[in-house]
Amino acid sequence: MPFPKAERRHSALKLKSVSLPYLVWMIIFIIVPTALVVIFAFTDKNGNFTLQNIQAVGQYSNVFLRSIWLGAIATIICLLLGYPLAYIISKTNVRRQSVLIMLVMLPMWMNFLLRTYAWMTLLEDSGIINRVLNFFGLPSIHMINTRGAVVLGMVYNYIPYMILPLYSVLTKIDKRVIEAAQDLGANRRKVFLRVTLPLSMPGVISGVTMVFVPAVSTFIISKMLGGGSNLLIGDLIDMQFLGSAYNPNLGSAISLVLMVLILICMGIMNQFDENGATEGGVLV
Amino acid sequence: MKTAARIYTFLIFLFLYAPIVVLIIFSFNSSSVGSRSVFTGFSLRWYNQLFQDSMLLAALRNTLIIAVVAAAVSTVLGTAAALGITRMNKWLRRVVMDVTNFPMVNPDIVTGVSLMLLFVAGNKLIGGSTLGMTSLIFAHITFCLPYVILSVMPKLRQMDPNLAEAAQDLGCTPRAAFFKVVLPEIMPGIMTGLIMAFTLSIDDFVVSYFTSGTTQTLPIFIYSMTRKRVSPEINALSTCLFGIIIVLLLIINVRTAKDKKSDEAPAKEV
């Protein structure tokens, strides 16, 4: 069809311009705010250039380390708990699969503040878990306001983000590949280690990033379950903007460092994902 | 399922649902404030109080207004953006998609803080409204947009590019070809995006927290409740919300089950 070419180009041009409002939006509400964070991070109260804020972030290296440490532990626990479940679900029949996945997602539709609040009721010294323990003649355990409680809160809130990408990758694995491995004499353990696990790596990677990023930057879970003594990066940022230690310049510097840190982590994770199978694979 | 697998699945679901069950049970507790872990008897008093709490009802109204506006605007803007982005050359498309993905990769708290800086700075420059409903709506549209774009784009990629041209060859104006051919074809993606935007907006706390000023949305109201005097009202509220969610999900599920029967549509990932 030679003739409609010019016309087509014309309509293509028109179509491109329908995204113009979005492009403007993108510049105003994504690029400019990010630039503002950078500008605030490198200026003082009077707007003069300074490196003091960035240097001041160094004082909080223990908070950064704690956040990364707790976030990493939570991510590993999510992976260890979530992988078997995703695997089990992917092996059941299709009808049951959709019910089970629904059940995994259902808690996510309930506000996470409410769910985390409920954990306070469970974990308190006079809370439900301790009451049950006492009922059976066991001693109480102090759980609330500990690091363990913060990690528990993270695992609880973010484990669906681990299960869902793992499940979607595991169901997409071609059954014939597994059958081929079995035909070639691999036992179940070998099939899993040499075939299923490597093929599910894109799911592992997107799961890990989807849990790690919110876990490191959370500021509510630590406040509610950590009792304020286990300050995390999120709490630190909150304090600089809306809290007692009002200093948006320092807050921006901390945000900038957090942002760069996470972008580096994502970059490293993407390196492991050789074939880029996760590209555009958004799962919510 | 084997026994071990069953037990494992049960334990994980016990972990996921334990706090929710606790909330629901204690919403019917007759005991007054201060004993959130002792059940003294069945009562509906917290439900009564809930519906007389004018602050809470105002927060609920704000949340719904914001979610409706944000979902509608981000769906229209996002769909138009997806249409345009698929026609861009490779280089431009990459740049635009990288920027689009940025708010999804970026921690929520940084998005919230950066938008707060923007609104405060904008306020100084232009004057007028401070943080409030307007800034909340702008912020919500911003974090909903990537999700709309990313659910519409795959539908556009699946679509046969010749369809619209065929319609035009058959005498459709480009406008008619769009509304009669392209739009119905990508409608499932648009609907997914719309629903996602709506639920994301209703549930958002972190970004709202930084951009709300004194305006309250439901999550912000819940937050202030959990910090101050803890009232069992909150349990009643969460039980109501959970009930609404289950009903909505059942409706959606029945509808998609019907769709699947009528045509072998690819499974939606939401």
Side-chain angles (χ1 to χ4, degrees), chain A residues 111-131:
Chain A
N111 191 282
F112 83 100
L113 291 164
L114 290 174
R115 287 180 287 135
T116 311
Y117 168 74
W119 273 110
M120 289 168 76
T121 317
L122 280 159
L123 297 177
E124 274 175 333
D125 287 338
S126 60
I128 292 164
I129 293 178
N130 274 327
R131 273 169 198 284

Side-chain angles (χ1 to χ4, degrees), chain A residues 25-254:
Chain A
W25 191 282
M26 199 175 86
I27 291 165
I28 298 176
F29 291 100
I30 300 177
I31 295 175
V32 172
T34 311
L36 279 173
V37 170
V38 177
I39 293 169
F40 267 73
F42 287 102
T43 50
D44 60 16
K45 280 193 184 90
N46 306 315
N48 301 317
F49 176 82
T50 174
L51 284 173
Q52 252 175 16
N53 301 314
I54 301 287
Q55 279 165 356
V57 176
Q59 292 167 17
Y60 300 105
S61 54
N62 58 337
V63 180
F64 272 83
L65 286 175
R66 186 188 303 140
S67 302
I68 293 167
W69 177 235
L70 295 185
I73 293 175
T75 309
I76 291 167
I77 296 175
C78 281
L79 181 61
L80 292 178
L81 289 179
Y83 200 107
L85 187 72
Y87 186 78
I88 292 167
I89 295 176
S90 73
K91 290 286 175 227
T92 59
N93 65 52
V94 180
R95 258 196 104 86
R96 191 178 259 168
Q97 268 182 35
S98 55
V99 174
L100 289 172
I101 281 299
M102 196 69 171
L103 283 173
V104 171
M105 290 197 291
L106 194 56
M108 286 165 62
W109 266 289
M110 196 156 179
N111 191 282
F112 83 100
L113 291 164
L114 290 174
R115 287 180 287 135
T116 311
Y117 168 74
W119 273 110
M120 289 168 76
T121 317
L122 280 159
L123 297 177
E124 274 175 333
D125 287 338
S126 60
I128 292 164
I129 293 178
N130 274 327
R131 273 169 198 284
V132 172
L133 286 177
N134 293 339
F135 180 79
F136 289 108
L138 296 161
S140 303
I141 309 169
H142 175 67
M143 288 170 287
I144 194 90
N145 300 349
T146 60
R147 283 189 184 186
V150 177
V151 171
L152 179 107
M154 289 174 174
V155 172
Y156 176 76
N157 274 300
Y158 304 125
I159 199 171
Y161 296 108
M162 180 65 82
I163 297 169
L164 296 176
L166 282 172
Y167 163 77
S168 79
V169 167
L170 284 169
T171 45
K172 274 179 199 144
I173 291 177
D174 193 340
K175 285 210 175 66
R176 285 170 300 183
V177 184
I178 289 163
E179 280 160 18
Q182 285 166 342
D183 286 348
L184 292 169
N187 57 25
R188 290 185 58 186
R189 195 187 138 87
K190 254 197 168 153
V191 169
F192 179 76
L193 288 177
R194 307 280 296 262
V195 182
T196 311
L197 191 62
L199 284 175
S200 65
M201 274 325 269
V204 173
I205 286 162
S206 59
V208 166
T209 45
M210 283 174 78
V211 172
F212 185 69
V213 173
V216 167
S217 56
T218 178
F219 79 106
I220 288 305
I221 295 171
S222 43
K223 236 182 210 170
M224 288 173 86
L225 299 176
S229 56
N230 289 290
L231 199 71
L232 298 184
I233 304 175
D235 306 305
L236 207 57
I237 295 174
D238 173 36
M239 273 165 56
Q240 310 302 324
F241 281 99
L242 293 174
S244 44
Y246 182 74
N247 184 354
N249 298 92
L250 179 59
S252 297
I254 301 168

